[in-house]
Amino acid sequence: MTTLMTTLTVIFITASITLFLFDRLDHPIIPAYLLAGLIAGRFIDSAQLFELSQLGIAFLVFVFGMRTEPERIYSELKEGTETTLTQIIGVGGIVFIIAYLYSNDPRNSLYLATFAAMSSSLIGTELTRSEDRADVLHQRLSESIHFTQDLVAIAATIALTTTPFTIEAVLRNWGIGLVLILIALTFRTLLFDDIIGLTRGSRELIVLTGLTILLSFLAIVTVTDTPVLVIGSFAAGIAVAKFPENLEMIDTMGSLKDFFAAIFFVTLGALATIPSPLAVIIALCLIGVTALVKPAITAVILSLRGYDMRTAYLTGLNLDQMSEFSLIIGIQAFLLEIIHPAVFQGLIISSIVTMTLTAYTSRFAEPIYDYLSEHNILNTPDSQLMEKTEIPASLNEHTILIGFDVQGKNIAEKLKELGEPFIIVDNDPERVSEAMEHHTYYVFGDIMANETWEKLHLDDARLIISTIPLEKTSQTILDHATDQDVILRSYDQETAERLLDAGALYVSVPRFLSGERLSEQLDKILTNPEYKATLREQSEQNLEQYLDNEVF
Amino acid sequence: MAIGSASLVSDFALIIGIATAFGILARQTKQPTLVAYIAAGLLLGPVGMNLISETELTAFFSELGLVFLLFLIGLEIELDDLGTLLKPITLIGLTQMAIVAGSGTIGAYILGYDMITSLFIGAAMMFSSTALVVKLLADKNETSSLPGRLDIGILLIQDVIVVLLLAVISLGNGSVLSLSLEFLQVLVIIILLSGVSIIAGTYIIPRIIEQVDDTPHTLFIHGLAWAFLLITIVQQFDISIEIGAFVAGLGLGQLPYSNELQERVRPLTDLFMAIFFVNFGLNISAGYLGEVIVPGLVLSGFIIVIKFLSLFILIDRAKFTPETSFIASINMTQISEFGLILASLAYTEGFIGESIIALLSVIAITTMGLSSYLIRYNRTIHNEIEHLLALFDSEEKQDMDLPTQTDHALIIGYNNTVDRILPRLKETFDDITVVDKDADNSTRLSRMDIRYIYGDFKHGEMKNAAGLRSASFVLSFAEDKSVNKAILDTKTDNKTIFIRAGSIEDGLEYYEDGADFVYLRNILASEQLDRYLSTYFDDRETFKQQVTADIETIRRDAE
């Protein structure tokens, strides 16, 4: 047995234990790995792991690239660019100036600024994503900000690992990166389908094909003498980022990524050793900036851009952790001896802390918000809200429709058809402007905030319908309702029962309603096989109609 | 920055690139990929262009390949499944191995090899290839047929013998007495550890896993940790590390999560084994190849005949029908990758010369290449010579009835709706299989009176395990579009497929692909809500009456 095998044994057993503990506390996994590394670092020689952990970086970025379909870049950038860039410049700028004033060392300061400005997309999405993920505005916003940051991080990695660090060299490497991406896009358009076709669905060959593409791109970059790993792996990922062929590739590469990324993160932790006092100070500063300054700056930017305070705040809070891209930049710079060891150690410690902390802040985001707004720490001046429509004082017996998503639009249509007056409430600027175009009454604002309720002429209302399936929102609505009928929506029957007990007139549970319908159809088909053809024809027509009607 | 170093990246790019290209070529010509990988190694190594040689990292990956392969094989053994066939299989399997090893030894001795070498050649040839046979049978959907089960059972017996042999060879040279004592000791340790591992896998590990909200990712890491732990333990007793991995797999194979774990481990195994076989090709030197090609071909022909005849006669004597005996035997006429592994180990320990590795490679390439066609066309060949087989037929021979999965109902994804429709499905179907990837549901599902598989249906092998092809009713709650597409690919006239779609566009696409009923949660729900709203504005009291029934069911569900 080679010593490398012994090292892997130590790594995986330690990681398994820390993962188990973190899992019990519902914590994210990356800090569990880093912690495992801190512990295992005492028993293993991390130098021999560099090769394997570099593979970890390659696979992490490769898989990220695979998910980066060009169509997605476009739609995410549309939503996230402005906010992200302002946020990066804001947070990064502050950190850079402070660090520079203190150390007079531009390069290390630049690294610290980058570490502070980026947030983790893996952890951000891991924490917010669940099977029945609500299409909640702040989650969507933070996802696109994360995504945009990741793209910026890739450009930053190339720049920050360029030696010598001159403008010409950085520009040259960016140029090479662009050329690689162009090659990747060409490959994706012209060759990828055919090559995947050749494997005839053999997963074994898909694994090898994916690796061949990855290694070929890495080999190309090696020739150009550019920092290889990140840009080569990213371009390779883009080359196969074609739906749906990339699914099987992501799936098979997934376990390779999991294996090598585990080694990578543990190695990172193992490299950190016992921190110097300077490293602790740096870590504390990074933690402070990441956990407090970054969310605050993001929230301010968003509220200036017209989002309501609550959305802005919750989005900001989703960004309160360090990014795994910072770790990738950090380890490369550390191995190239570009950054001070204390900066690297500070990075590792602050990553462990903020990545763990974020599990708690996302869990307690709402209570924290309630506390802040009750104590008037978050002021929402009216001028920052979008204008609401003039709601005539004569409005009477109206319906308040909360949530203008697909279901909301459906209901709005029905209400129009029935000739019932109604007001739409939503906090997504885009949806509100859509409502505006349809000449309906609307209020822009978050239903969780008291000031929104003041605009709804609640006393004259007859019915409140909400399409938002979150229990908290529903409870708030029930708290505000006086003698109006309330129809709510929930994901599951347990919540529905609680809401009914709390006074809702009816709770629509899509899972339940559709399940009822499904068992009805199933019974018919099993009892009478002849019915199969009829069912198929009818329900297909039905769907087609829906597709035509989908516009409000 | 080792990965950044030009030579390492380009070496790996070359190894994997050529292996992939050859692999694709093999796939097109219906050849096993293993043959392609060895050929890639030959091309890159001293036999061909002499471009690269073995490096520390390729050697390490090869070693990991073996570890993962044995881990995977352990995972795949489900003790329950062996049940009915265990007795005939053990007898047939062991006897056939003895016959093949004996004939192989004699054959090699006649060709002029010395006794020890001949023994190793014979032993290396007695296994048939699990990877090849299982893979090709799965492609043909024959793994659950009677010949398929016989083959897989015999291969499992062989796997166990491989593990023991690996242990013996790694003991190295010594006197017969001390070797037998050591072997006995090793045997006891392996049996003890297997027991511990199986008990842990059956009773202890599930308890621990229940305590946490595990994702497939963390299960994978825990699984690897378990494997590495047992590797370390066996290493304390100087037993080869692959055996630790095998024993670890054996324990985890009893978990409901074993299918998922297999799918996670498989890509790693594929990669590392590809490197293993390329490495194998790299290590063959040009001089030997010319020397061994003639004896290699002669032995290949000889061993194919011996393997087929011995197995056919043995299965026939166990009173199976001639058809079953024929198909089961013709599937098994190749030598195994384990033959090569044993040979390389024996070479390292100094039992055999380098040329024997080349010889066995020739035999592996020839027999595997040929047998992949034999397996593919097994039924055609059988039909051609059926009249000859009639000689073997008699009244008393019949195939035993096996519980096979056909005409069952298959449900992908578990939720409340499934609970609601299960009673109705049970009226029509005897067998119901539920595949679900949420570890939280596993305790509950495994207690229900259905067949339950834990895992993500998008993994290729899961579809075979669940009997997708032979199911007559499929209900999919899968969110992954490719999964639903794959289900619809198996659509036939007497199979009913219900699918839940995520969007209207997807739904229409599923109809186009032949779905019988596609439903969108939100659409069905909003249709219902629309109806309710009309009533509400018309007359509030009627509305209240209408929803009463709903509310009652909701409250009942919530219990």
Side-chain angles (χ1 to χ4, degrees):
Chain A
M1 183 149 109
T2 55
T3 49
L4 205 46
M5 199 68 90
T6 321
T7 312
L8 286 190
T9 306
V10 175
I11 287 183
F12 279 100
I13 292 177
T14 328
S16 167
I17 296 168
T18 54
L19 266 184
F20 178 77
L21 296 175
F22 273 54
D23 240 0
R24 286 206 71 164
L25 300 167
D26 272 337
H27 283 174
I29 53 178
I30 294 179
Y33 285 134
L34 295 176
L35 184 66
L38 280 179
I39 300 166
R42 300 169 187 279
F43 310 105
I44 55 176
D45 168 20
S46 42
Q48 54 170 333
L49 287 172
F50 289 161
E51 290 174 358
L52 292 180
S53 63
Q54 304 260 318
L55 275 177
I57 299 180
F59 279 113
L60 274 174
V61 181
F62 185 41
V63 171
F64 169 72
M66 281 190 217
R67 296 180 194 277
T68 315
E69 294 151 40
E71 300 79 17
R72 181 169 169 221
I73 299 188
Y74 175 74
S75 73
E76 299 274 9
L77 286 188
K78 212 174 79 187
E79 189 146 354
T81 315
E82 222 177 296
T83 317
T84 313
L85 291 183
T86 333
Q87 182 252 114
I88 289 177
I89 294 168
V91 178
I94 294 174
V95 173
F96 182 80
I97 292 168
I98 297 173
Y100 185 70
L101 289 179
Y102 174 81
S103 67
N104 210 10
D105 176 349
R107 195 144 193 206
N108 275 304
S109 309
L110 188 59
Y111 274 94
L112 281 173
T114 315
F115 297 158
M118 303 291 169
S119 306
S120 171
S121 57
L122 283 184
I123 291 179
T125 41
E126 189 189 324
L127 287 173
T128 50
R129 188 163 284 168
S130 63
E131 197 206 338
D132 282 320
R133 192 168 56 99
D135 185 18
V136 181
L137 181 60
H138 67 86
Q139 287 179 2
R140 224 176 51 225
L141 270 176
S142 42
E143 263 188 52
S144 55
I145 293 177
H146 272 140
F147 183 77
T148 317
Q149 278 185 343
D150 289 345
L151 293 182
V152 174
I154 285 172
T157 318
I158 301 176
L160 290 174
T161 45
T162 298
T163 38
F165 188 51
T166 60
I167 292 184
E168 296 82 54
V170 170
L171 285 178
R172 169 179 168 274
N173 285 344
W174 275 346
I176 291 172
L178 271 184
V179 173
L180 276 177
I181 290 173
L182 285 179
I183 296 177
L185 287 173
T186 318
F187 175 87
R188 174 184 181 271
T189 326
L190 298 180
L191 290 172
F192 181 54
D193 285 354
D194 294 336
I195 290 183
I196 283 295
L198 285 177
T199 64
R200 298 200 183 169
S202 152
R203 284 169 65 89
E204 182 184 0
L205 287 175
I206 289 176
V207 172
L208 289 183
T209 308
L211 273 172
T212 303
I213 294 167
L214 172 62
L215 288 167
S216 310
F217 272 92
L218 290 181
I220 299 177
V221 199
T222 320
V223 179
T224 64
D225 197 29
T226 320
V228 179
L229 215 48
V230 169
I231 184 59
S233 315
F234 182 65
I238 297 260
V240 298
K242 194 172 194 178
F243 184 85
E245 288 85 353
N246 61 346
L247 288 179
E248 191 110 20
M249 189 79 89
I250 290 178
D251 186 33
T252 48
M253 285 299 144
S255 29
L256 292 175
K257 184 201 80 182
D258 287 350
F259 180 72
F260 288 107
I263 298 176
F264 163 63
F265 287 120
V266 176
T267 309
L268 266 177
L271 283 175
T273 63
I274 297 169
S276 61
L278 178 61
V280 176
I281 295 172
I282 291 176
L284 287 176
C285 295
L286 281 176
I287 294 168
V289 172
T290 313
L292 298 172
V293 181
K294 189 159 59 179
I297 289 186
T298 314
V300 170
I301 295 171
L302 284 172
S303 77
L304 287 177
R305 291 195 56 210
Y307 291 92
D308 66 289
M309 201 58 215
R310 191 167 174 279
T311 303
Y313 155 82
L314 289 176
T315 310
L317 211 58
N318 271 346
L319 305 176
D320 68 345
Q321 72 291 103
M322 315 276 291
S323 163
E324 61 273 0
F325 272 106
S326 298
L327 294 171
I328 291 174
I329 299 175
I331 191 177
Q332 303 208 66
F334 176 69
L335 293 179
L336 290 169
E337 294 179 356
I338 302 173
I339 53 170
H340 195 281
V343 173
F344 179 69
Q345 287 171 349
L347 167 71
I348 304 290
I349 298 166
S350 54
S351 296
I352 297 181
V353 174
T354 58
M355 286 173 169
T356 312
L357 218 54
T358 192
Y360 289 99
T361 53
S362 69
R363 219 172 298 163
F364 299 113
E366 311 251 346
I368 301 175
Y369 173 79
D370 291 343
Y371 177 84
L372 292 178
S373 64
E374 266 165 41
H375 292 76
N376 282 330
I377 297 171
L378 301 168
N379 279 323
T380 40
D382 247 1
S383 62
Q384 286 183 8
L385 289 183
M386 261 197 192
E387 285 299 302
K388 62 176 166 58
T389 41
E390 251 344 287
I391 295 174
S394 61
L395 197 64
N396 205 357
E397 289 286 287
H398 61 283
T399 299
I400 297 170
L401 172 58
I402 299 164
F404 197 54
D405 47 12
V406 181
Q407 281 73 44
K409 284 177 200 170
N410 251 317
I411 295 171
E413 199 177 6
K414 187 76 193 171
L415 291 171
K416 252 189 173 173
E417 188 191 310
L418 294 169
E420 294 291 331
F422 62 98
I423 304 176
I424 292 170
V425 189
D426 202 300
N427 65 342
D428 185 335
E430 248 176 66
R431 286 190 195 150
V432 170
S433 46
E434 217 176 305
M436 199 158 38
E437 282 162 26
H438 289 91
H439 308 290
T440 45
Y441 301 124
Y442 67 88
V443 168
F444 173 77
D446 193 322
I447 204 66
M448 302 298 281
N450 287 328
E451 60 266 23
T452 309
W453 286 92
E454 288 156 19
K455 307 185 181 90
L456 296 175
H457 298 237
L458 184 63
D459 293 337
D460 300 324
R462 169 183 183 186
L463 171 68
I464 304 174
I465 308 179
S466 161
T467 64
I468 298 166
L470 303 175
E471 188 176 1
K472 243 189 117 50
T473 315
S474 301
Q475 288 289 3
T476 312
I477 294 169
L478 287 172
D479 289 346
H480 280 273
T482 45
D483 56 350
Q484 298 81 8
D485 287 330
V486 180
I487 298 182
L488 298 168
R489 180 183 163 95
S490 85
Y491 280 136
D492 53 54
Q493 286 88 327
E494 287 81 5
T495 321
E497 187 182 34
R498 282 196 293 276
L499 296 174
L500 286 166
D501 288 341
L505 178 66
Y506 181 66
V507 181
S508 123
V509 189
R511 177 188 284 181
F512 164 78
L513 288 176
S514 60
E516 289 288 287
R517 187 69 181 271
L518 177 72
S519 48
E520 230 170 82
Q521 305 293 13
L522 182 71
D523 183 52
K524 280 192 202 162
I525 247 183
L526 292 180
T527 321
N528 171 22
E530 306 289 307
Y531 177 66
K532 208 160 120 174
T534 329
L535 171 68
R536 189 188 141 94
E537 200 178 317
Q538 277 178 1
S539 46
E540 187 174 0
Q541 271 175 10
N542 197 3
L543 265 197
E544 275 164 2
Q545 263 172 17
Y546 252 94
L547 191 64
D548 296 338
N549 293 344
E550 212 186 12
V551 278
F552 171 62
Chain B
M1 300 290 292
I3 286 290
S5 75
S7 69
L8 196 73
V9 172
S10 50
D11 272 11
F12 259 108
L14 259 183
I15 291 180
I16 303 291
I18 301 284
T20 312
F22 277 36
I24 286 176
L25 204 67
R27 183 86 179 151
Q28 300 300 317
T29 52
K30 304 192 188 331
Q31 280 294 312
T33 43
L34 188 152
V35 172
Y37 300 150
I38 297 180
L42 288 175
L43 178 73
L44 292 170
V47 175
M49 305 191 294
N50 210 2
L51 283 173
I52 28 188
S53 51
E54 187 181 16
T55 66
E56 199 193 334
L57 208 57
T58 52
F60 176 64
F61 281 164
S62 304
E63 195 180 356
L64 270 184
L66 278 191
V67 167
F68 280 114
L69 181 67
L70 269 290
F71 184 48
L72 191 60
I73 286 179
L75 278 174
E76 282 173 345
I77 297 182
E78 282 182 37
L79 297 175
D80 297 349
D81 270 10
L82 283 175
T84 30
L85 288 172
L86 191 60
K87 220 178 124 193
I89 282 172
T90 317
L91 200 67
I92 295 172
L94 292 177
T95 322
Q96 196 233 2
M97 271 190 276
I99 295 174
V100 174
S103 324
T105 309
I106 295 169
Y109 193 69
I110 292 172
L111 284 174
Y113 292 97
D114 64 62
M115 197 57 211
I116 294 286
T117 311
S118 301
L119 264 173
F120 272 99
I121 295 175
M125 293 195 300
M126 71 184 175
F127 307 107
S128 297
S129 168
T130 312
L132 184 95
V133 175
V134 174
K135 187 83 202 308
L136 289 180
L137 288 183
D139 287 350
K140 297 185 73 190
N141 202 21
E142 282 183 15
T143 41
S144 53
S145 68
L146 182 59
R149 286 193 184 201
L150 282 171
D151 286 342
I152 292 171
I154 293 169
L155 287 167
L156 282 181
I157 302 291
Q158 293 187 352
D159 290 342
V160 174
I161 302 294
V162 165
V163 171
L164 292 178
L165 261 185
L166 283 176
V168 174
I169 294 179
S170 57
L171 292 176
N173 278 308
S175 75
V176 178
L177 182 68
S178 70
L179 268 185
S180 345
L181 275 178
E182 273 186 64
F183 175 68
L184 220 60
Q185 190 194 346
V186 167
L187 194 65
V188 170
I189 293 168
I190 293 178
I191 291 172
L192 278 180
L193 269 182
S194 305
V196 169
S197 182
I198 290 173
I199 290 171
T202 321
Y203 301 104
I204 304 169
I205 299 175
R207 297 258 162 93
I208 299 176
I209 288 177
E210 255 175 46
Q211 297 191 8
V212 287
D213 182 23
D214 264 316
T215 59
H217 173 90
T218 47
L219 283 176
F220 174 57
I221 300 295
H222 295 323
L224 290 180
W226 178 246
F228 279 114
L229 179 70
L230 286 179
I231 286 176
T232 316
I233 295 177
V234 296
Q235 214 225 339
Q236 301 304 313
F237 299 102
D238 279 333
I239 303 174
S240 68
I241 59 173
E242 298 84 40
I243 293 167
F246 173 79
V247 172
L250 201 60
L252 295 180
Q254 313 313 313
L255 289 176
Y257 327 104
S258 84
N259 284 37
E260 177 66 27
L261 207 51
Q262 285 168 32
E263 291 313 315
R264 292 259 155 184
V265 176
R266 202 180 302 278
L268 283 163
T269 313
D270 286 344
L271 165 63
F272 293 142
M273 281 317 281
I275 295 176
F276 176 90
F277 288 116
V278 174
N279 208 23
F280 202 87
L282 283 179
N283 282 329
I284 296 173
S285 45
Y288 294 120
L289 199 64
E291 180 186 310
V292 298
I293 202 123
V294 176
L297 290 177
V298 171
L299 276 176
S300 302
F302 175 66
I303 215 71
I304 289 177
V305 175
I306 292 289
K307 282 197 171 216
F308 171 75
L309 282 181
S310 59
L311 201 54
F312 179 78
I313 291 167
L314 286 167
I315 300 179
D316 184 68
R317 285 186 59 90
K319 309 264 184 282
F320 287 90
T321 60
E323 180 179 352
T324 302
S325 314
F326 182 86
I327 304 266
S329 335
I330 202 164
N331 289 347
M332 304 271 275
T333 54
Q334 69 300 104
I335 77 162
S336 161
E337 60 277 14
F338 283 120
L340 300 183
I341 292 167
L342 281 179
S344 65
L345 201 61
Y347 170 65
T348 331
E349 297 285 343
F351 290 111
I352 54 172
E354 216 180 327
S355 68
I356 305 305
I357 296 205
L359 173 78
L360 284 167
S361 305
V362 171
I363 300 174
I365 293 177
T366 321
T367 56
M368 286 181 171
L370 267 175
S371 88
S372 61
Y373 292 114
L374 292 178
I375 296 176
R376 212 166 287 271
Y377 300 112
N378 53 10
R379 303 239 165 232
T380 323
I381 301 171
H382 170 259
N383 294 342
E384 285 297 314
I385 58 159
E386 203 174 357
H387 54 282
L388 290 177
L389 291 175
L391 295 176
F392 291 89
D393 209 355
S394 73
E395 286 285 311
E396 53 176 322
K397 287 179 182 165
Q398 4 174 257
D399 292 342
M400 55 178 83
D401 263 339
L402 284 176
T404 46
Q405 269 224 316
T406 48
D407 296 334
H408 59 294
L410 171 61
I411 301 173
I412 294 116
Y414 171 76
N415 53 41
N416 271 344
T417 309
V418 175
D419 277 340
R420 184 157 306 131
I421 60 176
L422 267 183
R424 180 63 189 87
L425 284 175
K426 276 184 187 157
E427 286 174 28
T428 312
F429 299 99
D430 295 331
D431 274 321
I432 298 172
T433 303
V434 175
V435 182
D436 186 69
K437 61 177 173 184
D438 188 348
D440 284 348
N441 293 332
S442 65
T443 330
R444 173 157 190 196
L445 278 166
S446 49
R447 281 185 199 131
M448 285 173 16
D449 178 28
I450 47 159
R451 184 160 170 263
Y452 157 60
I453 303 174
Y454 170 82
D456 195 334
F457 204 70
K458 70 177 174 234
H459 297 317
E461 307 298 320
M462 205 68 82
K463 297 179 180 107
N464 291 323
L468 170 63
R469 208 164 280 276
S470 53
S472 54
F473 174 77
V474 183
L475 166 61
S476 165
F477 294 101
E479 279 161 29
D480 197 329
K481 205 169 153 184
S482 61
V483 168
N484 291 327
K485 288 282 206 183
I487 293 170
L488 288 168
D489 274 347
T490 65
K491 170 79 184 165
T492 54
D493 281 345
N494 37 25
K495 179 186 232 164
T496 308
I497 301 181
F498 278 28
I499 287 183
R500 187 177 78 195
S503 72
I504 299 178
E505 287 82 357
D506 286 356
L508 287 172
E509 211 176 315
Y510 295 151
Y511 273 125
E512 221 152 84
D513 294 341
D516 292 294
F517 180 56
V518 176
Y519 81 104
L520 282 97
R521 222 184 231 173
N522 287 337
I523 286 191
L524 291 191
S526 25
E527 276 176 2
Q528 191 61 29
L529 200 61
D530 270 8
R531 252 174 266 157
Y532 284 157
L533 277 182
S534 301
T535 323
Y536 175 86
F537 287 110
D538 200 34
D539 176 29
R540 189 166 175 272
E541 285 313 305
T542 323
F543 168 81
K544 280 181 94 170
Q545 281 164 17
Q546 274 187 0
V547 296
T548 315
D550 268 15
I551 291 178
E552 271 168 20
T553 325
I554 287 176
R555 287 186 188 275
R556 226 188 4 258
D557 276 354
E559 293 305 305

